[in-house]
Amino acid sequence: MTTSLLVASRSRTPLVVYTSKTPANNETTVQYLNQDKLIEAAECGYIEIQNPAYAEDAVRDAFYRARRESRPIVLCCPIDLQNKECDADGDDYQPSTAMFSGQQSIRPALDRVRAAADIIAKAKKPVVLLGRGAMTPEAMAAAKQLAQRIGGLIATTLVAKGTLADSEYYVGVSGLFAAREVLQLFDEADCVIAVGARVSTHTIAGGSAYPNASFVHIDIEPHKMMGNAQGAHCYVQGDAAASMQELLEILGKEGTNRGYHTAEVRRILAGAGRDPAEYEIEEGTVDPREAISLLDEKLPPEFNLVSSGNAHACSFRVMLMKRRRGLQIFCTAFGCIGQALSTAVGAAVGAPGPMVCVEGDGSALQSIQELDTVARLGLKFLYVVVNDEAYGAEFHKLRAHERDPQLSFVRSPDFAGLGRNFGCEGRTARTLDEFSSAIDAFLKGSGPMVIDLRISRNVISIPYRRLHFGMDV
């Protein structure tokens, strides 16, 4: 629970969690816990009802703060107050939306926009880098027009993966998860326009991406440092759509710079991302690269996707699943395991459409009981356990540091059987044909399915080859 709160906070998820606690001044009871300290450590807000008259205000304040601060707020009502009458004075209850209807559009200062436009106008090879704050329809329309106007590549952060993916100059996720050919194109960039993006160390590949570029950073926050511990050459505080529209007004509708918009760049991007590395695939397992590509090919694009994430396991999904999804969540905010299944259950209830959750076997063991919820709700839900019978990230790190990789081995249960015990259909796939057949059965059915996909642990992801084995791939 504490880990999930921290993940939600790092993900800037507006969430209200209702809980209770032991009565005040009773620290000897076995369930006593100093909750406010725990919640503070998890980077969340905490509101405690200490008087029944405050209960209505506390509920409204919790939702108000969650929406305004964009993080979880834990609302606590001690057990000895729960049977009390809520005798609030004053007017009838008003929801938080009556106080705060949502983030206003912040128009940027013209002098900052002009400074940004001056940098962009001089650029010969610009990149438009889109983050969470640039995913509204208005922002996407403005970003598409801006990229066309300046001849820019379109890259995204991991959160925004797939935004404007229909563009022929879309290059995928920037930084650690980028194909080698794309990183080489980034080496030529002389300007990066980051919009609604945190520009983390992963996004700029530890500072090695865009070595010759000037940065224009657009965000609604007053200022943000980038992952290289530096500020942008020009920082513009403003709404993503409004700021890009102002830029377009200053730059004009027509441009003479073709930038990256050439036939040669299109040729490079058409062949980018292929991994020629060969590995010995153990009998009874499949190459995870081939399996994930197959999954991407067979799933309709309107299916929602939640993926667990660390740089090793997540990278196969990030780099090989090319199709844009209706909803797409990568649980990477804290770099931990055990978050994907419960996240996917909540997303499946809140968002329309079938849900696909992809998670490693070690991660699945942290929250496998959530399959009971999936089955009871009768969700159209595919749970793919990518199973190498090890903690895969640790397996490859141990190998890289010449330690015993067997320390990471974890004997796997029968995940397909567990799925059936919880009320889902269950399949085990040890070949690509078995995996393909299982996916087809799920698509034809109406209920949940668990696929225990047995993968080779010998295949090293491209980011891990870069990070831990020093390979230029």
Side-chain angles (χ1 to χ4, degrees):
M1 176 63 176
T2 308
T3 303
S4 297
L5 282 175
L6 188 50
V7 169
S9 180
R10 297 282 176 88
S11 301
R12 297 185 60 81
T13 303
L15 175 71
V16 173
V17 177
Y18 175 75
T19 188
S20 185
K21 64 177 290 189
T22 55
N25 302 317
N26 192 3
E27 298 181 6
T28 59
T29 183
V30 68
Q31 291 188 324
Y32 170 76
L33 176 67
N34 195 337
Q35 285 192 12
D36 55 336
K37 297 295 184 183
L38 178 67
I39 302 307
E40 181 183 4
E43 302 174 6
C44 300
Y46 182 75
I47 296 176
E48 183 175 319
I49 301 171
Q50 297 180 339
N51 186 324
Y54 173 56
E56 285 190 359
D57 288 344
V59 171
R60 179 175 55 245
D61 290 349
F63 282 96
Y64 169 75
R65 285 185 55 192
R67 296 170 62 244
R68 183 175 60 81
E69 299 172 17
S70 196
R71 65 170 179 157
I73 303 296
V74 176
L75 175 63
C76 175
C77 183
I79 194 167
D80 55 325
L81 293 184
Q82 290 184 11
N83 290 327
K84 303 285 186 182
E85 286 293 325
C86 175
D87 53 353
D89 298 326
D91 299 331
D92 292 339
Y93 177 81
Q94 294 290 320
S96 66
T97 50
M99 303 164 61
F100 176 58
S101 59
Q103 174 66 50
Q104 298 181 40
S105 176
I106 300 174
R107 302 205 70 82
L110 266 180
D111 63 324
R112 305 308 300 155
V113 178
R114 290 194 184 100
D118 185 58
I119 294 173
I120 296 168
K122 294 174 182 176
K124 301 300 182 185
K125 292 289 184 74
V127 176
V128 179
L129 173 59
L130 306 177
R132 183 203 300 265
M135 294 175 67
T136 65
E138 297 80 9
M140 288 192 292
K144 184 176 182 178
Q145 189 177 352
L146 178 62
Q148 290 171 342
R149 165 65 180 76
I150 63 177
L153 296 177
I154 297 174
T156 71
T157 63
L158 179 57
V159 173
K161 180 182 184 295
T163 304
L164 296 184
D166 56 342
S167 168
E168 57 188 345
Y169 298 103
Y170 171 77
V171 299
V173 176
S174 173
L176 180 68
F177 295 112
R180 187 172 189 271
E181 299 88 342
V182 171
L183 290 174
Q184 290 170 341
L185 290 173
F186 290 165
D187 286 344
E188 304 172 12
D190 54 4
C191 178
V192 176
I193 305 104
V195 186
R198 189 160 61 92
V199 196
S200 70
T201 183
H202 286 324
T203 303
I204 55 177
S208 64
Y210 315 108
N212 304 306
S214 297
F215 276 79
V216 172
H217 197 170
I218 300 171
D219 199 273
I220 59 171
E221 299 290 338
H223 191 264
K224 284 183 177 178
M225 298 294 285
M226 299 188 296
N228 57 1
Q230 297 178 14
H233 298 83
C234 178
Y235 190 92
V236 180
Q237 183 186 14
D239 174 79
S243 299
M244 285 188 285
Q245 289 161 0
E246 294 279 6
L247 274 174
L248 286 164
E249 285 293 325
I250 295 173
L251 291 169
K253 295 183 179 179
E254 300 296 331
T256 57
N257 178 38
R258 294 176 63 198
Y260 287 105
H261 290 195
T262 66
E264 175 62 12
V265 170
R266 291 196 298 272
R267 184 194 67 78
I268 291 171
L269 294 179
R274 294 190 177 97
D275 184 2
E278 295 183 0
Y279 295 92
E280 180 182 351
I281 306 302
E282 307 96 305
E283 185 177 354
T285 68
V286 300
D287 187 323
R289 298 169 296 183
E290 295 179 356
I292 293 302
S293 294
L294 176 65
L295 181 66
D296 188 44
E297 175 187 330
K298 296 186 77 71
L299 291 178
E302 65 270 16
F303 277 40
N304 300 320
L305 172 71
V306 172
S307 173
S308 66
N310 57 49
H312 169 64
C314 182
S315 65
F316 295 118
R317 275 88 84 182
V318 174
M319 300 183 76
L320 298 174
M321 298 191 79
K322 306 288 188 182
R323 304 174 79 178
R324 179 71 177 121
R325 299 290 161 193
L327 173 71
Q328 195 164 233
I329 301 173
F330 293 92
C331 302
T332 60
F334 189 49
C336 60
I337 62 174
Q339 302 299 306
L341 180 55
S342 54
T343 298
V345 172
V349 172
M355 173 60 71
V356 178
C357 177
V358 186
E359 189 161 37
D361 53 310
S363 187
L365 289 171
Q366 308 295 314
S367 58
I368 194 70
Q369 71 278 1
E370 296 298 341
L371 287 175
D372 176 65
T373 305
V374 171
R376 280 189 290 107
L377 296 178
L379 300 174
K380 179 72 171 177
F381 193 105
L382 177 61
Y383 188 42
V384 181
V385 181
V386 183
N387 187 357
D388 61 1
E389 293 200 285
Y391 289 105
E394 285 66 34
F395 174 77
H396 292 295
K397 289 175 185 176
L398 287 167
R399 290 178 61 198
H401 292 281
E402 300 181 349
R403 299 292 189 269
D404 182 5
Q406 294 190 40
L407 294 172
S408 68
F409 290 2
V410 178
R411 185 177 62 82
S412 172
D414 176 8
F415 284 105
L418 283 174
R420 290 190 292 270
N421 289 339
F422 279 114
C424 307
E425 186 175 350
R427 298 281 189 97
T428 298
R430 297 181 179 273
T431 67
L432 289 177
D433 286 342
E434 290 176 347
F435 189 38
S436 179
S437 175
I439 297 170
D440 288 340
F442 168 73
L443 293 175
K444 292 176 184 177
S446 59
M449 175 183 283
V450 177
I451 301 179
D452 186 349
L453 175 64
R454 299 302 176 107
I455 66 164
S456 168
R457 66 169 72 103
N458 288 337
V459 181
I460 310 172
S461 68
I462 287 177
Y464 260 44
R465 277 178 256 167
R466 293 170 180 165
L467 286 171
H468 300 291
F469 292 88
M471 298 182 186
D472 183 16
V473 293

